[in-house]
Amino acid sequence: MQRGQIEFSGKLLTLYSVDTLIVGSGCAGLNAADSLFDFGHQDIALVTEGINMGTSRNTGSDKQTYYKLSLVSGESDSVSELAQTLFSGGGVNGDTALAEAACSVRSFMKLVNLGVPFPTNRYGEYVGYTTDHDNRKRATSAGPLTSKFMTECLEQSVRRKQIEILDETIVFKLLVEDGAVSGAAGFDKKKNEFVMFRCNNIVLATGGHCQIYKNTVYPPGQTGMTGMALEAGAEGANLQEWQYGIASVDFKWNLSGTYQQVMPRYISVDEYGTKREFLPGYLKSVADSVNFVFLKGYQWPFDTEKICGSSVIDFIVYNETVNKNRTVYLDFTCEPTALLNGFGDLSQEAYTYLKNSDALIKTPIHRLLKMNRQAVELFYRHGIDLSREPLKITVAAQHTNGGLAVDENWETNIKGLYAVGEAAGTFGTYRPGGTALNAAQVGALRAAEHIAYAKETRDLKATEAYKQIAMEQGMDDFFRLTAANSGRGHAGFKKTYEALQAEMSRCASMIRNMIEMERLKEAVSSELCRFWQAAEGVSADDIPACLKYRDMLITQTAVLDAMIFSGKKMGSRGGALVLKDSKTFWSAADILHLAPKSSNAFCDKIIYTTYRQAGADSRMEDVRPIPKSDNWFETVWNEFLERRGKHA
């Protein structure tokens, strides 16, 4: 990467010229950089707001899952079967599903060889377990911190190769010339100044666009920057598709798996301080209050298909926290009412699970310590002792299944712009738990391979044409942020920022109110139109917050359009229960009425969204089918050599 200077509006800015810029330092971004280097493509740099920030490094669950092709005896599997499982989740393109399946073992074994401690039996087989939406035991785990281990091992490899990393720099603007990416703009937080990039390729590994919500399980500092890609002309795919689930609040963590299978007591506290166990009052039987909780371990994401089963738990927690404004906790110290007289009310599945785990013992905390001590120690390290205090929870956004539309090489509709990891919209409506980690590795590999063997390159000099493009695409607006430094800072519109996030969580998350989403979309669009006026004179220290705020508004605009379009066309499905009126309070009797009828009518459709000047347009298209490959060896070999620019 070369450094120089470029003059804009009378200011000299640092200009970085590099063939390929990777934005983001999670396991997807690091793997893209590492793979590019291994392919011999070394004019690369990685830019990140914070090397230790992001979802990969700072999130997990009871035993964070990595989903892959089965690698143990007794479990027959194949690339085509895995591809079909991914594809059958609905709203998934067949070519990306096939690529994720085909490159699964290759990507997994790279992590193993880098030192991620995935467990094997004494003979070296990678044993597995069943996860949600999984028809085989393909899941594995390195414990609660699987993605953290992945990120650390990949970072070590990147640093050994001395790949350049620009830390504490936000990329907030993409520049496009004739349908191809030509550069980007960033803000150096250390120097409080704008910087420019000139490049042929950009790999976006910025994670999920979680900043649109107040209630998320994403770690502090993870915001996503999907808005800048949408503004540049990249299409969104399935922006309406999310996963929501029960998570802890004070220390953000997914409460799936063993946290639910030990069947803690769900309690709420009202405005008068009255504490009560609330699940039995909503359900047909006291036994349901523990059996449905047990199933949440396997079926953690909220699912409208299971609203009369395990997902009723999410619905009830939402009702208690949002509609009744109560504080809800998991209490691991006491037995729930259904287990006060022993385990007689347990389903056969729950009873057998506890028996096989040698955990038919009293109190949830002792069952959790027996089955997964690491899950308890994790919270203890963050100042929460589950053996002594209740755990504050909510229903939170956990994963975005939609993102930027990509092809089989994870390239967007903008040439040279790739989206990998959670920034890419490849997951569809349903996905087996843990596929996100496999997709992050495969997407990064596919993008790197496509870039490395591309034959086209461009002059990376800072030409007058490049400067003209930057100005035409709005860089002057950003430069004016510090033109009249009033010192007012971000506080001037922080309340609006937080209010819009809260409204998204209230009416546009797992419960989607069509009337209120329309109103919210208008409010977001209005705020976006007045952004530059509201941001005028902001201090340099607050520019990063302003840039993220604007990105949030663009993303909210596109996401709300996709949600409203989906609600009108598809109704309730996946992780979204769509309401057509403004009813805000539910009793137990309402649950059956609200439950949608099962429908696979739209499983072969994807909703694409295009952002347009403080607005957005969504449309529906058929998914691309799983390709029927010609696997005759000699044919494939010659095609492979041609892609690599070699001859037999």
Side-chain angles (χ1 to χ4, degrees), residues 234-245:
E235 285 193 318
N238 287 331
L239 292 175
Q240 77 284 353
E241 302 289 0
W242 286 75
Q243 282 189 346
Y244 309 96

Side-chain angles (χ1 to χ4, degrees), residues 361-433:
I361 51 183
K362 292 182 179 180
T363 71
I365 185 61
H366 286 103
R367 293 192 285 272
L368 188 56
L369 285 167
K370 178 69 176 180
M371 290 194 286
N372 192 348
R373 181 174 289 272
Q374 285 181 307
V376 179
E377 293 171 346
L378 175 75
F379 275 94
Y380 190 79
R381 289 197 299 272
H382 289 85
I384 300 171
D385 188 347
L386 298 182
S387 68
R388 295 179 178 273
E389 58 188 304
L391 182 65
K392 187 177 179 181
I393 67 168
T394 191
V395 179
Q398 180 262 350
H399 192 277
T400 170
N401 283 359
L404 299 175
V406 297
D407 65 11
E408 72 273 17
N409 297 306
W410 272 250
E411 188 174 24
T412 70
N413 57 297
I414 298 174
K415 185 176 176 58
L417 177 63
Y418 299 79
V420 300
E422 204 175 343
T426 61
F427 300 103
T429 305
Y430 294 110
R431 65 177 182 85

Side-chain angles (χ1 to χ4, degrees), residues 295-547:
L295 288 175
K296 286 303 297 174
Y298 295 115
Q299 302 167 358
W300 180 73
F302 174 73
D303 181 2
T304 54
E305 296 283 326
K306 299 183 179 71
I307 198 170
C308 294
S310 60
S311 285
V312 73
I313 304 301
D314 310 86
F315 177 87
I316 295 169
V317 171
Y318 177 92
N319 197 38
E320 289 283 316
T321 55
V322 177
N323 295 332
K324 296 185 178 182
N325 198 29
R326 293 171 176 170
T327 306
V328 174
Y329 300 89
L330 291 189
D331 183 3
F332 290 89
T333 67
C334 300
E335 289 284 27
T337 299
L339 298 182
L340 288 176
N341 296 318
F343 301 104
D345 282 337
L346 286 185
S347 66
Q348 186 62 47
E349 182 181 7
Y351 183 88
T352 301
Y353 181 89
L354 292 180
K355 182 179 179 182
N356 290 345
S357 302
D358 198 21
L360 287 171
I361 51 183
K362 292 182 179 180
T363 71
I365 185 61
H366 286 103
R367 293 192 285 272
L368 188 56
L369 285 167
K370 178 69 176 180
M371 290 194 286
N372 192 348
R373 181 174 289 272
Q374 285 181 307
V376 179
E377 293 171 346
L378 175 75
F379 275 94
Y380 190 79
R381 289 197 299 272
H382 289 85
I384 300 171
D385 188 347
L386 298 182
S387 68
R388 295 179 178 273
E389 58 188 304
L391 182 65
K392 187 177 179 181
I393 67 168
T394 191
V395 179
Q398 180 262 350
H399 192 277
T400 170
N401 283 359
L404 299 175
V406 297
D407 65 11
E408 72 273 17
N409 297 306
W410 272 250
E411 188 174 24
T412 70
N413 57 297
I414 298 174
K415 185 176 176 58
L417 177 63
Y418 299 79
V420 300
E422 204 175 343
T426 61
F427 300 103
T429 305
Y430 294 110
R431 65 177 182 85
T435 50
L437 296 182
N438 176 64
Q441 297 308 286
V442 171
L445 171 66
R446 294 284 295 181
E449 199 163 23
H450 193 245
I451 291 168
Y453 297 107
K455 299 176 178 62
E456 294 182 23
T457 58
R458 286 174 288 164
D459 185 0
L460 292 176
K461 293 179 181 177
T463 62
E464 287 300 316
Y466 170 77
K467 292 170 64 175
Q468 184 65 27
I469 288 167
M471 301 310 287
E472 288 175 356
Q473 295 179 22
M475 280 308 302
D476 250 356
D477 291 327
F478 293 99
F479 295 145
R480 282 198 295 270
L481 279 176
T482 54
N485 190 342
S486 68
R488 182 187 60 177
H490 186 47
F493 46 80
K494 186 178 179 183
K495 285 186 178 179
T496 306
Y497 178 88
E498 293 174 344
L500 292 174
Q501 288 177 316
E503 278 299 285
M504 283 291 297
S505 288
R506 186 183 69 81
C507 71
S509 58
M510 60 173 268
I511 306 296
R512 297 182 186 171
N513 187 296
M514 294 294 287
I515 295 172
E516 295 184 13
M517 285 196 298
E518 291 276 12
R519 292 173 183 160
L520 180 56
K521 184 184 174 186
E522 289 181 12
V524 172
S525 179
S526 176
E527 187 66 17
L528 187 55
C529 287
R530 63 181 292 272
F531 172 82
W532 295 113
Q533 179 185 356
E536 194 173 288
V538 73
S539 68
D541 288 342
D542 289 307
I543 286 178
C546 289
L547 298 174

Side-chain angles (χ1 to χ4, degrees), residues 29-219:
L30 289 166
N31 191 38
D34 192 66
S35 298
L36 277 163
F37 190 96
D38 287 344
F39 288 134
H41 190 85
Q42 298 174 10
D43 186 12
I44 57 178
L46 187 147
V47 60
T48 176
E49 184 184 354
I51 192 68
N52 292 317
M53 295 169 64
T55 300
S56 297
R57 202 181 295 264
N58 296 288
T59 194
S61 58
D62 73 314
K63 56 179 188 292
Q64 193 180 18
T65 299
Y66 190 108
Y67 189 75
K68 50 151 186 58
L69 195 75
S70 182
L71 295 172
V72 67
S73 57
E75 289 290 330
S76 61
D77 205 355
S78 70
V79 168
S80 62
E81 288 180 86
L82 176 53
Q84 186 59 48
T85 297
L86 299 175
F87 183 69
S88 64
V92 176
N93 281 318
D95 48 9
T96 58
L98 182 58
E100 286 183 27
C103 299
S104 171
V105 173
R106 181 178 173 189
S107 297
F108 177 72
M109 293 312 300
K110 174 179 178 176
L111 294 171
V112 169
N113 292 334
L114 285 175
V116 180
F118 290 111
T120 66
N121 64 18
R122 60 187 294 185
Y123 304 105
E125 295 178 288
Y126 288 94
V127 297
Y129 55 89
T130 302
T131 185
D132 49 300
H133 307 299
D134 174 27
N135 56 4
R136 298 189 183 279
K137 294 180 180 179
R138 293 180 175 128
T140 186
S141 175
L145 304 175
T146 300
S147 63
K148 183 175 187 290
F149 295 152
M150 291 166 56
T151 307
E152 289 172 343
C153 288
L154 286 163
E155 184 191 349
Q156 290 170 11
S157 182
V158 164
R159 291 194 182 279
R160 282 195 298 268
K161 293 166 182 172
Q162 298 183 331
I163 296 171
E164 187 151 12
I165 298 174
L166 296 178
D167 202 357
E168 296 188 59
T169 300
I170 298 174
V171 173
F172 63 88
K173 181 77 175 175
L174 303 179
L175 303 177
V176 177
E177 179 180 0
D178 297 328
V181 72
S182 63
F187 189 80
D188 187 328
K189 293 167 63 177
K190 299 186 295 294
K191 298 179 180 178
N192 273 342
E193 64 182 25
F194 290 102
V195 296
M196 301 297 295
F197 298 92
R198 186 82 168 98
C199 47
N200 286 318
N201 306 287
I202 294 179
V203 180
L204 287 182
T206 50
H209 39 275
C210 57
Q211 64 176 331
I212 68 172
Y213 285 117
K214 174 187 176 183
N215 295 335
T216 80
V217 73
Y218 290 85

Side-chain angles (χ1 to χ4, degrees), residues 225-238:
M225 291 296 282
T226 301
M228 66 175 174
L230 293 169
E231 185 180 38
E235 285 193 318
N238 287 331

